[in-house]
Amino acid sequence: MKRSHRFKRSIKPKKSLDIKLTNSNNEQDITATTSMTLSSSIKPSSSLIRANSNLKPQIPISSSSLISFEKSSILSQDFFQIDALDLAPRLLGKFLRRDDVVLQITEVEAYRPNDSACHGRFGVTPRTAPVFGPGGHAYVYLCYGLHTMLNIVADKEGVGAAVLIRSCAPVCGLETIQLRRGQKTEKPVLLAGPGKIGQALGISTDWSSHPLYTPGGLEVLDGPEPENILIGPRVGIAYASPEHVNALWRFVVADSPWISAPKNTLGPPP
C-alpha cells in the first residue's frame, strides 16, 4: 500500500492551538459536551444501547455507522503494515470486538521508530518485543502496574511502531462493559481513556502479540471512515524531546463526545 504523508509535516503545533500537556495516566472522567453526530435529534436510550446477541450497532459515531455491523469484515494484516502515522487516522471508525463487546475507535495516538516517546526507544526487551513484531498484532502493557493499555502494532516486522487506542464508543455489550469497568453509566466517562479500553475489553498483558486479523479472541473489523477528524499533540509525554512532544500525532473523531481530555489542544488538520 502506498504510504500517505499528509500528516508528517505536522511536527510542530499550529500557533492557533492552545497546547497544554497533561499526564497520560490521568484519565480524567469527562462528560459529553457535544452531541453525537447522528443527523437527527435522536439520543441513545438504555434500550438502544443494551447488548444483544446479534451484535448490531447501538451507538454509531456518525450517520455512516448505521451500516449493519454484521456485514463488517475482519481487516487483513496488510491493512496494518504501514507507517504508524498513516495507520492511526485510518483506525478511526473501525471496530474492536471481543466476545459480546464491540467498541468503535474514536481516538488514537501514533508512536513511530526513532520517536523519543515510543516504547521502541528502549530496543527489544521482554516487554517491548511485541512492538517490533509484524503489524496487525496487539501490544498490551501495564501503565503504573494498573492501567491495561491496548496498542495496535504498525508497519513491518522489526520496525518498532504502534498506535495507542485512547478512546472508543460502545456499540454492543454495554452491560458487560459496565460490569468490567465497575461503572453503571452510558456517558463517555465509561470509555474515555486508554486504560478504560483495556478494562472494557477484559484483556491483560497476555494478549500482547495476539493477531488482530484472525477470527476469535480480539479482532479489528472494518468500519466507516469519519467525515471529519481533529489532530493535536499526544498526551503525557513531557519526557520526550521537544519535537516529539509537539508533534500532532493524536487523532480523534470530530464532534464525538467519546474522547478523552484534554480537548483544547485539538484542531483541524493543516
Side-chain angles (χ1 to χ4, degrees):
M1 182 180 293
K2 184 178 180 180
R3 295 179 179 175
S4 167
H5 301 282
R6 52 178 175 163
F7 294 112
K8 293 183 181 179
R9 65 179 182 277
S10 302
I11 196 71
K12 296 181 180 179
K14 296 179 69 176
K15 294 182 179 179
S16 60
L17 296 180
D18 179 18
I19 306 300
K20 295 181 180 179
L21 298 173
T22 62
N23 192 305
S24 62
N25 305 310
N26 182 21
E27 297 177 14
Q28 302 177 22
D29 288 349
I30 59 172
T31 302
T33 56
T34 57
S35 62
M36 303 293 285
T37 54
L38 280 168
S39 56
S40 70
S41 59
I42 298 175
K43 296 182 179 180
S45 64
S46 298
S47 60
L48 288 174
I49 302 173
R50 189 171 297 114
N52 62 73
S53 59
N54 292 325
L55 292 179
K56 294 181 180 179
Q58 297 163 344
I59 311 179
I61 60 172
S62 69
S63 58
S64 59
S65 295
L66 293 174
I67 62 172
S68 174
F69 173 74
E70 293 177 320
K71 296 180 180 178
S72 297
S73 58
I74 299 176
L75 293 169
S76 68
Q77 187 177 15
D78 290 343
F79 177 86
F80 305 97
Q81 295 193 340
I82 57 175
D83 192 295
L85 195 55
D86 295 324
L87 176 63
R90 295 181 190 181
L91 285 171
L92 295 176
K94 302 298 186 271
F95 297 102
L96 291 168
R97 178 171 67 185
R98 184 187 173 220
D99 300 327
D100 66 323
V101 170
V102 179
L103 310 178
Q104 194 163 32
I105 300 172
T106 55
E107 179 182 359
V108 296
E109 289 179 344
Y111 290 86
R112 308 177 69 219
N114 301 317
D115 173 4
S116 57
C118 180
H119 284 188
R121 71 188 185 277
F122 299 118
V124 180
T125 69
R127 182 197 191 201
T128 65
V131 180
F132 292 89
H137 288 73
Y139 168 49
V140 184
Y141 68 91
L142 278 180
C143 185
Y144 289 133
L146 179 64
H147 303 295
T148 304
M149 317 287 267
L150 172 62
N151 299 258
I152 296 177
V153 178
D155 225 311
K156 305 296 183 182
E157 185 171 5
V159 172
V163 176
L164 172 66
I165 308 301
R166 282 199 60 86
S167 297
C168 292
V171 177
C172 298
L174 182 68
E175 292 178 358
T176 300
I177 295 169
Q178 292 172 333
L179 181 63
R180 288 172 174 167
R181 289 278 296 109
Q183 195 166 25
K184 191 74 173 180
T185 182
E186 299 173 6
K187 296 181 179 180
V189 64
L190 189 65
L191 293 170
K196 299 176 182 179
I197 303 306
Q199 192 176 24
L201 291 169
I203 60 175
S204 67
T205 55
D206 292 338
W207 287 85
S208 268
S209 298
H210 175 79
L212 302 169
Y213 49 84
T214 58
L218 181 61
E219 308 161 344
V220 180
L221 293 88
D222 200 6
E225 181 180 349
E227 294 180 2
N228 297 292
I229 68 172
L230 299 176
I231 65 173
R234 294 169 295 180
V235 181
I237 57 167
Y239 55 82
S241 64
E243 66 172 327
H244 295 137
V245 167
N246 296 326
L248 305 181
W249 293 352
R250 178 187 176 201
F251 304 86
V252 308
V253 176
D255 300 322
S256 173
W258 299 90
I259 61 173
S260 65
K263 298 181 180 180
N264 63 348
T265 62
L266 298 167

